[in-house]
């Protein structure tokens, strides 16, 4: 047995490697994102250029047209771009003709519903096409995206060769290399499926292997390997084949997906066409050598002319390393590209005219101008100055972007102003201090007096806050510990609330060499917080007062208005009383009742309701209750008592109070009940299985006017009768007419029958109540109950 020495792993080194791996992973993800963005932008710009060339519209109009087409066809913008670029290829029905010069509005019916999942699959395919660099890669990408949707096992791409030469396999996936080599070039055989699809200009669906092999020349090795296949014309000269081991037919969803995929591939194949080779003249090579050593942005352009000699575009022949276009290509990556490919909006503009003048021998130096492009749906704007001079047969063009640093500085200044903060930097080695202008504004310090060293910053604050800030500054300078400290300063006659946040930059040995941070004005926020605290304190005080008032009012009410615990007998009548306070609010209401025997063998029944809540309402209730009892007991009539109560309320200390009232006097000898009311809901009489409201005699509520008219009414009670006197809290509901509440009371009284008052209240008062409820339930016993 042998052993081998294994060096111990340094935990710190492992941590550093892990951190480095995370950094590399993030950077790689960001690079992939940028590449996707650039590729997407390139596809969008090519499609815009196609529309501009076909219709003569502006770049903005072309971009809006693409968006509208995509929305109408229920497609993504990228899919629409591939379709537009595909329309530049020769149409399948016009093989051998010249390419079309303008894309049609759409090759798919706008708004046609896509089968479930098709739109997502096409969206993923459209994004994947951005990374395809050859027909071979295109075939692999198609197989990857079509296999899970249509059970594809192999994908082939055939290109038609010059007339009479047959077809050439330009891309394949799912085939072994030997079979692909055997079928790499195919003569123009009659019945060869891809050739027949190109001739017909329509998809060819081969779904019956036994019959299809009798008609067509099929790629099949070994025999019976692929039992179904489809061939679709992508362009006039390219056919797409999808081979499957499954014998099942292509369903409607599968066929639509394949048609859409073929249309997308047309655009990608068009973009893969070989670019025009740049002229590698001796002048271009010499210029490129010079430009490689120059800073800034400069390119050598060669004009591309039409047959009549007009300049239709410019090609980049050489470029400096610092040259960059709106698609993100830099330096020699630009060589071979066209100006209208990167900047289609310059066609016909003053810059374009300047280039033409420079070609004529007159150097061009344009005024600064704003250039705007839409890249991946985002508007990119820049201000440029451009110079152009003739060099040989081409143009040497230089440009300068002015506003990058200025815009960044302006944005930083706007951020500081809007956030009411400013940055500060202290170099502890050189003792150099830098403040932004906003720091001087926040601290109320004249810029001419200069910035303050870090250790003297506590001298600017109020004495009671200086110690905490000084301790934080000292700790940061000694150990590098960051701080976030609030403090106050005096500015004129006012005190301002500020905040300082700082962190340290240390040398390799841990020594603090630099401190940077910011100062923020929190005065408005702090003032709002203090105002909120004061408001909360005032609310708590007021709530305490209200709770105390409620407790006092409740004690007064219980003392002045004792409730019997069970029904009582008054002059031969059975009387039950209920009083229920409101469930919401902190106030006690002014509802009340009286039920007493009078000296002359009669009985008095009163129910009243004082407007308002709290101690004042309880006091008014007590005044009216005792006065009404006293006046009727000493012989006053019901209407006379109401008139005097009205006078009393009008001349009380709270002349704004009002009240409603119903008075009833019962004579047991003849079972006669006389009653009068002052603005109160009518009593409810239940007799013989029917319930009806008594007609109210005239009577205005108490405290409303100085000379009201009160009348009385009288009727006879019968054995078994039930009479309800109540306050409006029993029948009123928010948003409901009072008559609906009175009808509901009548129905509940009939439904309750001879049951106790509790059953009636339970039916009437389900849910929250906003007002107190007081009820007198008066019943005339039948013979066997007396």
């Amino acid at each position: 047995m042998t052993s081998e020495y294994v060096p111990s792993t340094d935990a710190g080194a492992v941590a550093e490697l892990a951190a480095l791996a995370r950094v590399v992973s993030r950077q790689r993800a960001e690079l992939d994102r940028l590449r996707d963005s650039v590729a997407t932008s390139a596809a969008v710009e090519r499609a815009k250029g196609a529309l501009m060339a076909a219709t003569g519209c502006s770049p903005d109009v072309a971009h809006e047209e693409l968006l509208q087409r995509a929305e109408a066809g229920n497609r993504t913008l990228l899919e629409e771009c591939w379709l537009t670029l595909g329309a530049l290829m020769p149409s399948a029905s016009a093989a051998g003709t010249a390419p079309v010069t303008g894309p049609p509005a759409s090759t798919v019916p706008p708004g046609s519903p896509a089968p479930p999942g098709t739109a997502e699959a096409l969206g993923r395919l459209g994004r994947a096409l951005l990374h395809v660099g050859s027909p071979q890669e295109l075939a692999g990408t198609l197989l990857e995206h079509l296999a899970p949707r249509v059970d594809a096992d192999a994908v082939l791409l055939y290109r038609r060769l010059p007339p009479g030469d047959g077809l050439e396999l330009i891309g394949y996936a799912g085939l072994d290399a030997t079979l692909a080599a055997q079928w790499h070039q195919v003569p123009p055989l009659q019945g060869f499926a891809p050739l027949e699809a190109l001739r017909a200009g329509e998809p060819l669906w081969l779904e019956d292997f036994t019959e299809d092999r009798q008609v067509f020349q099929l790629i099949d090795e070994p025999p019976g390997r692929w039992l179904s296949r489809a061939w679709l014309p992508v362009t006039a000269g390219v056919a797409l084949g999808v081979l499957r081991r499954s014998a099942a037919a292509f369903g409607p969803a599968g066929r639509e997906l394949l048609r859409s995929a073929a249309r997308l591939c047309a655009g990608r194949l068009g973009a893969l066409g070989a670019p025009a080779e740049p002229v590698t003249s001796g002048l271009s090579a010499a210029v490129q050598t010079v430009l490689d050593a120059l800073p800034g942005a400069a390119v050598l352009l060669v004009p591309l002319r039409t047959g009549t000699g007009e300049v239709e575009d410019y090609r980049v022949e050489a470029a400096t390393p610092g040259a960059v276009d709106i698609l993100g290509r830099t330096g020699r990556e630009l060589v071979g590209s066209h100006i209208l490919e990167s900047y289609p909006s310059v066609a016909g503009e003053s810059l374009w005219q300047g280039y033409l003048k420079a070609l004529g021998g007159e150097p061009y130096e344009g005024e600064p101008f704003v250039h705007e492009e839409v890249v991946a749906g985002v508007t990119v704007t820049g201000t440029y100055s451009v110079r152009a001079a003739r060099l040989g047969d081409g143009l040497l063009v230089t440009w300068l972007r002015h506003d990058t640093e200025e815009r960044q500085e302006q944005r930083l200044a706007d951020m500081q102003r809007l956030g009411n903060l400013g940055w500060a930097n202290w170099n502890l080695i050189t003792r150099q201090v830098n403040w932004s202008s906003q720091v001087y504004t926040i601290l109320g310090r004249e810029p001419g007096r200069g910035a303050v060293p870090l250790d003297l910053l506590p001298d600017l604050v109020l004495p009671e806050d200086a110690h905490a800030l000084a301790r934080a500054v000292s700790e940061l300078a000694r150990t590098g510990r960051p701080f976030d400290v609030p403090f106050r300063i005096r500015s004129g006659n006012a005190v301002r609330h500020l905040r300082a946040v700082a962190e340290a930059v240390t040398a390799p040995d841990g020594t603090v060499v630099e401190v940077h941070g910011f100062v923020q004005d929190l005065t408005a926020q702090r003032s709002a917080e203090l105002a909120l605290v004061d408001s909360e304190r005032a609310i708590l005080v007021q709530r305490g007062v209200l709770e105390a008032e409620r407790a006092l009012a409740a004690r007064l009410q219980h003392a002045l208005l004792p409730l019997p615990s069970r029904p009582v007998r008054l002059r031969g009548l059975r009387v039950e009383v209920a009083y229920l306070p409101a469930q919401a609010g902190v106030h006690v209401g002014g509802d009340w009742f009286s039920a007493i025997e009078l000296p002359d063998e009669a009985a008095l029944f009163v129910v009243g309701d004082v407007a308002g809540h709290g101690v004042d309402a309880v006091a008014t209730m007590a005044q009216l209750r005792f006065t009404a009892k006293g006046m009727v007991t000493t012989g006053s009539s019901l209407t006379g008592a109401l008139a005097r109560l009205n006078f009393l309320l009008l001349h009380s200390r709270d002349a704004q109070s009002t009240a409603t009232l119903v008075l009833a006097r019962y004579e047991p000898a003849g079972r006669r009940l006389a009653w009068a009311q002052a603005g109160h809901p009518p009593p409810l009489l239940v007799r013989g299985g029917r319930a009806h409201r008594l007609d109210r005699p005239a009577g205005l509520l108490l405290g409303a006017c100085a000379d009201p008219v009160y009348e009385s009414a009288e009727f006879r009670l019968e054995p078994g009768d039930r009479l309800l006197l109540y306050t409006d809290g029993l029948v009123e509901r928010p948003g409901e007419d009072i008559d609906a509440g009175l009808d509901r009371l009548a129905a509940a009284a009939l439904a309750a029958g001879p049951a106790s008052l509790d059953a009636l209240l339970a039916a009437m008062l389900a849910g929250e109540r906003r007002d107190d409820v007081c009820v007198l339930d008066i019943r005339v016993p039948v013979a066997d109950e007396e």
Side-chain angles (χ1 to χ4, degrees):
M1 178 177 177
T2 62
S3 62
E4 183 179 356
Y5 169 73
V6 179
S8 61
T9 302
D10 189 335
V14 172
E16 290 181 2
L17 289 174
L20 181 59
R22 289 193 294 269
V23 171
V24 171
S25 177
R26 287 196 300 268
Q27 292 178 341
R28 182 176 295 142
E30 178 64 12
L31 181 59
D32 291 341
R33 186 191 66 79
L34 291 174
R35 286 174 176 167
D36 288 346
S37 177
V38 169
T40 302
S41 300
V44 173
E45 292 302 322
R46 290 192 187 99
K48 285 169 54 179
L51 280 179
M52 291 168 60
T55 63
C57 64
S58 67
D60 290 341
V61 173
H63 188 265
E64 184 63 28
E65 175 68 16
L66 288 172
L67 290 175
Q68 292 177 1
R69 291 184 185 182
E71 182 178 0
N74 194 24
R75 295 184 286 271
T76 66
L77 176 61
L78 190 57
E79 289 178 68
E80 190 61 42
C81 291
W82 290 132
L83 294 177
T84 301
L85 292 172
L88 295 174
M89 306 293 288
S91 63
S93 60
T97 64
V100 295
T101 58
S106 179
T107 56
V108 181
S112 57
T118 299
E120 292 80 0
L122 290 174
R124 290 192 295 269
L125 177 59
R127 292 189 295 272
L129 292 179
L130 293 172
H131 306 286
V132 169
S134 66
Q136 180 67 22
E137 293 180 9
L138 176 59
T141 299
L142 285 171
L143 180 60
E144 177 185 351
H145 287 78
L146 295 179
R149 301 290 302 177
V150 296
D151 295 330
D153 295 300
V155 168
L156 296 87
L157 289 170
Y158 269 104
R159 179 177 62 190
R160 174 183 281 173
L161 297 173
D165 291 343
L167 299 178
E168 177 187 17
L169 183 64
I170 60 174
Y172 63 91
L175 267 68
D176 58 78
T178 302
L179 184 60
Q182 293 174 359
W183 291 89
H184 179 69
Q185 284 194 333
V186 181
L189 299 175
Q190 189 70 25
F192 188 50
L195 186 58
E196 295 300 326
L198 287 175
R199 288 171 177 170
E202 295 291 338
L204 192 60
W205 310 101
L206 306 180
E207 299 165 330
D208 189 328
F209 179 74
T210 303
E211 292 185 3
D212 292 336
R213 68 185 305 179
Q214 304 299 324
V215 179
F216 296 99
Q217 179 71 32
L218 303 180
I219 300 174
D220 198 44
E221 184 67 33
R225 180 180 181 184
W226 293 294
L227 300 180
S228 61
R229 63 198 73 203
W231 287 96
L232 301 94
V234 177
T235 68
V238 177
L240 164 66
V242 177
L243 282 60
R244 305 190 306 175
R245 292 187 176 89
S246 169
F250 292 91
R255 293 190 177 194
E256 178 57 32
L257 176 61
L258 291 179
R259 290 191 185 98
S260 299
R263 286 191 290 266
L264 292 182
C265 290
R268 179 69 266 189
L269 284 173
L272 291 176
E277 291 295 329
V279 177
T280 57
S281 64
L283 177 61
S284 299
V287 171
Q288 182 63 69
T289 302
V290 174
L291 294 186
D292 283 341
L294 292 180
V299 293
L300 175 64
L301 302 181
V302 170
L304 303 177
R305 301 180 184 273
T306 64
T308 61
E310 296 181 359
V311 176
E312 63 178 0
D313 203 347
Y314 294 88
R315 184 177 62 237
V316 179
E317 290 292 297
T320 60
V324 59
D325 71 353
I326 203 165
L327 300 180
R329 293 176 295 190
T330 61
R332 293 201 177 196
E333 292 179 351
L334 294 171
V335 176
S337 64
H338 293 178
I339 289 297
L340 294 185
E341 176 185 330
S342 300
Y343 301 98
S345 61
V346 303
E349 298 295 330
S350 59
L351 179 61
W352 189 268
Q353 301 302 324
Y355 283 176
L356 295 178
K357 289 181 180 180
L359 281 176
E362 180 183 348
Y364 168 73
E365 182 173 351
E367 295 292 331
F369 66 96
V370 176
H371 180 74
E372 183 177 283
E373 292 283 354
V374 178
V375 179
V378 178
T379 300
V380 180
T381 304
T383 302
Y384 298 88
S385 289
V386 177
R387 296 181 179 183
R390 182 170 180 173
L391 181 61
D393 294 332
L395 290 177
L396 183 62
V397 178
T398 63
W399 67 92
L400 176 66
R401 182 167 184 172
H402 296 281
D403 56 347
T404 303
E405 294 184 0
E406 291 85 345
R407 290 178 64 187
Q408 290 178 350
E409 292 178 359
Q410 184 60 45
R411 288 170 179 169
L412 179 60
D414 291 342
M415 180 188 68
Q416 293 182 84
R417 176 177 51 82
L418 295 174
N420 210 359
L421 56 83
W423 60 264
N425 186 78
W426 292 272
N427 191 309
L428 304 187
I429 304 300
T430 65
R431 302 294 291 176
Q432 183 180 1
V433 182
N434 291 315
W435 285 359
S436 69
S437 59
Q438 193 69 19
V439 174
Y440 290 97
T441 302
I442 292 173
L443 294 177
R445 185 177 178 85
E446 290 294 333
R449 300 176 59 188
V452 175
L454 183 62
D455 55 347
L456 298 182
L457 188 63
D459 295 344
L460 302 180
V461 309
L462 293 182
E464 49 268 38
D465 295 341
H467 179 69
L469 183 57
R471 184 172 62 250
V473 168
S474 176
E475 185 72 14
L476 180 140
R478 185 171 55 87
T479 66
R481 180 179 180 181
F483 67 74
D484 184 343
V485 178
F487 60 91
R488 293 168 295 169
I489 65 170
R490 184 169 298 279
S491 178
N493 296 326
V495 173
R496 296 167 65 185
H497 296 264
L498 308 182
R499 170 195 181 202
V501 179
E503 62 180 6
V505 177
T506 59
D509 62 356
T511 303
V512 177
V513 297
E514 192 172 347
V515 174
H516 51 79
F518 66 84
V519 179
Q520 186 175 18
D521 190 343
L522 303 177
T523 303
Q525 176 182 336
R526 184 58 177 161
S527 298
E529 292 174 352
L530 294 176
L532 180 60
V533 170
D534 292 341
S535 176
E536 291 176 345
R537 185 180 296 113
I539 290 174
L540 291 175
V541 172
Q542 182 64 23
R543 185 175 184 86
V545 172
L546 294 177
E547 290 289 355
E549 180 181 337
R550 175 182 172 85
L552 175 60
R555 288 196 297 270
L556 287 173
Q557 188 180 56
H558 290 312
L560 298 173
L561 197 66
L563 292 174
S565 58
R566 59 178 130 183
V568 296
R569 292 277 184 166
L570 292 177
R571 301 304 186 199
L573 301 176
R574 179 182 180 275
V575 181
E576 191 172 356
V577 182
Y579 179 85
L580 300 174
Q583 293 180 351
V586 297
H587 295 300
V588 176
D591 291 20
W592 57 280
F593 72 93
S594 285
I596 61 173
E597 293 182 339
L598 299 176
D600 57 355
E601 302 300 323
L604 174 67
F605 301 104
V606 186
V607 171
D609 185 0
V610 176
H613 297 82
V615 175
D616 291 340
V618 174
T620 303
M621 174 270 289
Q623 186 180 32
L624 293 178
R625 182 170 184 264
F626 291 119
T627 303
K629 289 167 56 177
M631 285 190 292
V632 176
T633 300
T634 57
S636 294
S637 65
L638 300 180
T639 56
L642 289 177
R644 291 177 175 83
L645 291 174
N646 181 72
F647 181 84
L648 176 66
L649 200 56
L650 283 173
H651 294 82
S652 65
R653 64 182 181 86
D654 186 5
Q656 301 300 320
S657 295
T658 59
T660 65
L661 192 69
V662 60
L663 290 171
R665 178 187 177 94
Y666 176 68
E667 302 286 349
R671 292 201 296 275
R672 307 295 300 180
L673 184 82
W675 69 287
Q677 62 87 30
H680 203 81
L684 180 73
L685 177 64
V686 181
R687 172 182 291 174
R690 298 182 58 191
H692 67 278
R693 305 191 296 266
L694 300 182
D695 294 331
R696 294 193 305 171
L700 195 64
L701 78 163
L702 304 178
C705 67
D707 53 351
V709 175
Y710 295 104
E711 297 179 356
S712 63
E714 183 176 323
F715 67 97
R716 177 184 175 86
L717 289 173
E718 302 294 340
D721 283 354
R722 183 180 189 180
L723 184 67
L724 293 175
L725 308 180
Y726 52 89
T727 56
D728 56 6
L730 182 66
V731 293
E732 285 186 344
R733 286 184 180 177
E736 182 182 72
D737 186 76
I738 185 64
D739 288 335
L742 296 173
D743 292 341
R744 190 172 62 256
L745 175 61
L750 290 177
S756 66
L757 181 57
D758 291 340
L760 173 64
L761 294 177
M764 288 295 295
L765 302 178
E768 181 181 352
R769 298 187 305 278
R770 296 190 178 183
D771 202 358
D772 297 354
V773 174
C774 183
V775 181
L776 276 180
D777 184 4
I778 304 170
R779 305 194 192 193
V780 182
V782 295
D784 56 353
E785 292 178 338
E786 295 180 352

